[in-house]
């Protein structure tokens, strides 16, 4: 009899907290082991692993969640993974902060993004603008496309998924189709057109150990045609 009473009370309180949380944060649906509701419902914590689903198709897995009702932000901490079905992107990091009003997700430490199961971006941190479908990567950036066969290294990289365009700021190294190595600054890579360009002084090496130094170049990867100024 006591066991039945304990079971009833457990289910009652579980449903009560689920209902209370739902009333406070309709945009987020928590599925976690434990919930803590603090500061008169302004702060809600999800503990001991679980997931949170949003009203627009995002699922986030983590060890700990902290939702701030006033700021409408969700922090996910520890072994974080996020799946955005609508945009076909997955993010991984030690920590993310999701600003729901601005639809911006920031990742912190050991950040990795996967697009279409073939495009991978790694960096110290990301700034993912969901509405614009833009990912900004900062610090030790490595971007690879296994289908297009390129690898980029930079300190700052912006990937515009809608335009299929990559831009970098600062020193950039590009490995193209295992044939060419391009060392330059501030590139623009139009992925669908297979065109790589930079206005900076650049060095291009091929597999035959030929080295070309050029400024303000445009390189057609598919046609292997290099155009620029002061080619040496």
């Amino acid at each position: 009899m006591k066991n039945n009473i304990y079971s009833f009370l457990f289910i009652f309180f579980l449903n009560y907290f689920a209902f209370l949380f739902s009333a406070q944060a309709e945009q987020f649906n928590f599925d976690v082991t434990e919930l803590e509701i603090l500061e008169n419902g302004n702060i809600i914590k999800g503990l001991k692993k679980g997931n949170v689903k949003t009203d627009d198709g995002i699922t986030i897995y983590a060890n700990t969640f902290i939702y701030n009702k006033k700021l409408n932000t969700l922090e996910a901490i520890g072994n974080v993974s996020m799946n955005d079905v609508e945009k076909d992107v997955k993010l991984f990091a030690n920590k993310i902060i999701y600003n729901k009003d601005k639809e911006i997700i920031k990742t912190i430490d050991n950040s990795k993004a996967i697009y279409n199961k073939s495009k991978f971006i790694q960096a110290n941190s990301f700034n993912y603008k969901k509405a614009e479908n833009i990912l900004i990567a900062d610090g030790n950036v490595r971007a690879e496309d296994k289908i297009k066969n390129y690898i980029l290294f930079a300190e700052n990289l912006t990937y515009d998924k809608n335009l299929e365009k990559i831009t970098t700021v600062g020193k950039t190294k590009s490995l193209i189709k295992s044939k060419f190595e391009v060392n330059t600054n501030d590139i623009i890579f139009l992925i669908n057109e297979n065109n790589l360009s930079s206005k900076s002084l650049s060095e291009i090496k091929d597999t035959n150990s030929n080295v070309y130094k050029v400024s303000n170049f445009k390189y057609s990867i598919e046609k292997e045609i290099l155009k620029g100024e002061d080619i040496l």
Side-chain angles (χ1 to χ4, degrees), residues 4 73 91 222:
N4 290 337
T73 59
L91 301 182
E222 202 67 37

Side-chain angles (χ1 to χ4, degrees), residues 58 68 107 138:
I58 287 180
N68 186 310
T107 71
D138 280 304

Side-chain angles (χ1 to χ4, degrees), residues 187-222:
I187 69 163
I188 299 175
F189 183 23
L190 303 178
I191 298 171
N192 289 338
E193 289 86 351
N194 268 324
N195 286 329
L196 181 72
S197 64
S198 173
K199 293 182 178 180
S200 301
L201 179 64
S202 308
E203 182 182 82
I204 301 175
K205 303 177 184 178
D206 64 20
T207 53
N208 295 321
S209 300
N210 296 313
V211 179
Y212 307 92
K213 292 186 178 180
V214 59
S215 61
N216 195 20
F217 81 89
K218 293 182 179 180
Y219 179 57
S220 174
I221 297 171
E222 202 67 37

Side-chain angles (χ1 to χ4, degrees), residues 13 16 27 95 104 112 119 129 198 218 223:
F13 282 116
Y16 169 75
Q27 295 169 319
K95 177 180 178 179
I104 292 176
K112 182 178 181 180
K119 191 182 276 99
K129 300 180 179 181
S198 173
K218 293 182 179 180
K223 297 178 181 179

Side-chain angles (χ1 to χ4, degrees), residues 56 58 82-91 102-105 113-116 119 121 126-137 157-167 191:
D56 55 356
I58 287 180
M82 184 218 76
N83 185 18
D84 187 341
V85 176
E86 179 187 355
K87 304 296 186 181
D88 194 16
V89 58
K90 294 180 179 180
L91 301 182
K102 295 181 179 179
E103 287 296 348
I104 292 176
I105 296 175
I114 302 176
Y115 288 87
N116 306 323
K119 191 182 276 99
I121 301 175
F126 292 146
N127 193 345
Y128 173 53
K129 300 180 179 181
K130 174 178 168 58
E132 301 170 56
N133 210 4
I134 290 174
L135 181 78
I136 301 171
L157 178 147
T158 298
Y159 174 43
D160 188 323
K161 180 67 170 64
N162 292 339
L163 298 178
E164 283 298 336
K165 177 181 178 181
I166 290 175
T167 58
I191 298 171

